[in-house]
Amino acid sequence: MAGKTITRADLTDAVYRSLGISRNESSAFVERILDEVAQTLEKGETVKISSFGTFSVRDKKLRMGRNPKTGEEVPIEPRRVITFRASHVLKDQINNTHRQSKAAE
């Protein structure tokens, strides 16, 4: 199940083809959206994109972990992590596509 990774350049090209604006404007548009998402998450706020999903920041506390090689216990520092929860629309779309491709086989 090796799929293609979508890059910023791919997003820029999709905006260029869809909106018909210049490549520079398309690139600036994509960058602005990604910057806005990143800045919002940095502030600890949630980003909800309708019919796509929700990005949120979660604080993890200090906990003890174990080095699997030596068995030594080591503290894992508190940190913030980003979580993504896909919308039901996106989940349904992915599952329907998966079912259709399986039926075609």
Side-chain angles (χ1 to χ4, degrees), residues 48-65:
K48 185 173 186 174
I49 302 172
S50 181
S51 300
F52 185 74
T54 304
F55 295 91
S56 58
V57 178
R58 206 176 82 201
D59 291 317
K60 290 194 143 193
K61 297 180 180 176
L62 173 74
R63 64 185 177 97
M64 293 304 289

Side-chain angles (χ1 to χ4, degrees), residues 22-67:
S22 74
R23 288 193 189 272
N24 286 342
E25 288 175 318
S26 298
S27 178
F29 187 71
V30 169
E31 289 300 320
R32 181 67 185 117
I33 290 172
L34 295 175
D35 286 344
E36 188 66 31
V37 169
Q39 288 173 11
T40 301
L41 291 169
E42 284 173 9
K43 292 187 259 181
E45 298 173 6
T46 299
V47 175
K48 185 173 186 174
I49 302 172
S50 181
S51 300
F52 185 74
T54 304
F55 295 91
S56 58
V57 178
R58 206 176 82 201
D59 291 317
K60 290 194 143 193
K61 297 180 180 176
L62 173 74
R63 64 185 177 97
M64 293 304 289
R66 188 177 308 273
N67 180 333

Side-chain angles (χ1 to χ4, degrees), residues 4-17 23 26-27 30-31 34:
K4 181 184 182 310
T5 300
I6 300 296
T7 64
R8 287 175 191 239
D10 295 327
L11 292 173
T12 297
D13 190 51
V15 170
Y16 167 73
R17 283 184 279 112
R23 288 193 189 272
S26 298
S27 178
V30 169
E31 289 300 320
L34 295 175

